[in-house]
Amino acid sequence: EQQRIAVGRALVLEPKILLLDEPFSNLDARLRVRMREELQTLQRQVGITTVFVTHDQEEALTLADRIAVMNKGVLEQVATPDDLYQHPQRMFVADFIGTMNFVRFRFAPALGALVNEALRVPVTSRWPEGTEVTMAIRPEDVLPVDGDAGFPVRVVRIVNLGHYRDVMVEGSGTGLLKMFTSGQWQMAESQVLRLRFRRALLYADGAEVIEIKEPELTAGTSDQSPRS
């Protein structure tokens, strides 16, 4: 009620801009969601520009028309919630907004591929030899596959969240990966699965982010010259 009264008092003054600095930080989870919905409805009704400061990613994605991501006083990216989630321009934003998996590679020009100790990914992009490249993958873009396609991983943990499962897997060259799956895939801890990535983003120092669909990860070698 104190939060509602505080917002009401601010609106009575008919300000051109309403500034809110983490107004829901002291509320419990359920009340937080209700206040979020009330504020969004109120903001639409009054039509007032609102600047909402928060460290809660869900609040930002739920409430905002546009989000500005700050990092140590530096403005990293300004975009709509959908664009920010799907196309983070920097690794900080990719890591900060939502959940993201990261797999490290380096570029091997002789192979035309990204390689690490166990995996190889053919790419058409080019960087200087030995460039460290990070592949970023959302958990919903990590998909189980049948047969011999994809790459093998072992199931480490399964958390059943009702409408979906939060699954942690571990593979050679990928380390730990988080994936979100529906209940249609039957799996158990310690089971070996084969996975593929539906979509990935590539980050390299000093280069623009690159989006690739269906990256082809295969067992490989970190050698930069093809084997005979």
Side-chain angles (χ1 to χ4, degrees):
E1 290 304 319
Q2 287 177 334
Q3 298 287 38
R4 290 189 178 96
I5 292 170
V7 173
R9 283 175 173 168
L11 290 174
V12 165
L13 301 174
E14 298 183 352
K16 293 182 179 179
I17 300 177
L18 179 62
L19 306 178
L20 300 173
D21 187 1
E22 302 203 50
F24 307 148
S25 58
N26 293 324
L27 304 180
D28 65 54
R30 293 186 65 183
L31 188 54
R32 218 171 186 182
V33 173
R34 285 178 51 196
M35 281 298 295
R36 223 185 274 162
E37 294 168 349
E38 286 186 23
L39 178 63
Q40 191 172 40
T41 302
L42 186 61
Q43 194 272 339
R44 297 291 187 270
Q45 289 175 345
V46 210
I48 184 174
T49 298
T50 304
V51 178
F52 189 104
V53 179
T54 180
H55 286 86
D56 188 315
Q57 305 164 8
E58 190 174 313
E59 271 183 1
L61 292 170
T62 302
L63 290 171
D65 297 306
R66 289 177 69 77
I67 299 174
V69 180
M70 302 287 293
N71 176 25
K72 298 179 181 178
V74 176
L75 185 60
E76 295 278 352
Q77 187 175 348
V78 181
T80 63
D82 282 345
D83 194 35
L84 201 67
Y85 186 83
Q86 294 294 332
H87 303 101
Q89 296 303 303
R90 299 174 184 271
M91 273 189 57
F92 176 84
V93 180
D95 193 26
F96 186 72
I97 298 295
T99 304
M100 189 71 89
N101 296 298
F102 294 104
V103 182
R104 314 291 178 185
F105 292 93
R106 62 184 176 79
F107 180 58
L111 298 172
L114 301 176
V115 296
N116 62 21
E117 70 275 9
L119 296 172
R120 181 184 300 175
V121 187
V123 289
T124 56
S125 303
R126 292 293 180 265
W127 300 274
E129 183 173 351
T131 298
E132 298 290 331
V133 179
T134 299
M135 179 180 286
I137 314 99
R138 294 288 184 196
E140 60 268 28
D141 289 324
V142 181
L143 305 176
V145 292
D146 292 319
D148 296 329
F151 57 95
V153 296
R154 180 180 58 85
V155 178
V156 176
R157 188 192 68 226
I158 301 174
V159 178
N160 191 339
L161 296 172
H163 57 297
Y164 76 99
R165 292 176 181 177
D166 181 332
V167 182
M168 186 69 74
V169 299
E170 185 173 23
S172 180
T174 63
L176 291 172
L177 293 174
K178 183 182 284 286
M179 59 185 291
F180 297 153
T181 70
S182 65
Q184 72 181 64
W185 285 93
Q186 298 301 316
M187 57 185 68
E189 292 185 2
S190 298
Q191 178 183 348
V192 174
L193 302 175
R194 299 191 74 87
L195 302 179
R196 68 178 176 89
F197 296 152
R198 175 167 49 197
R199 173 180 180 267
L201 300 172
L202 302 180
Y203 295 91
D205 286 343
E208 291 187 4
V209 59
I210 296 172
E211 176 183 356
I212 53 175
K213 300 290 181 66
E214 300 283 348
E216 181 187 342
L217 278 76
T218 57
T221 173
S222 60
D223 295 338
Q224 294 196 20
S225 56
R227 292 188 172 186
S228 57

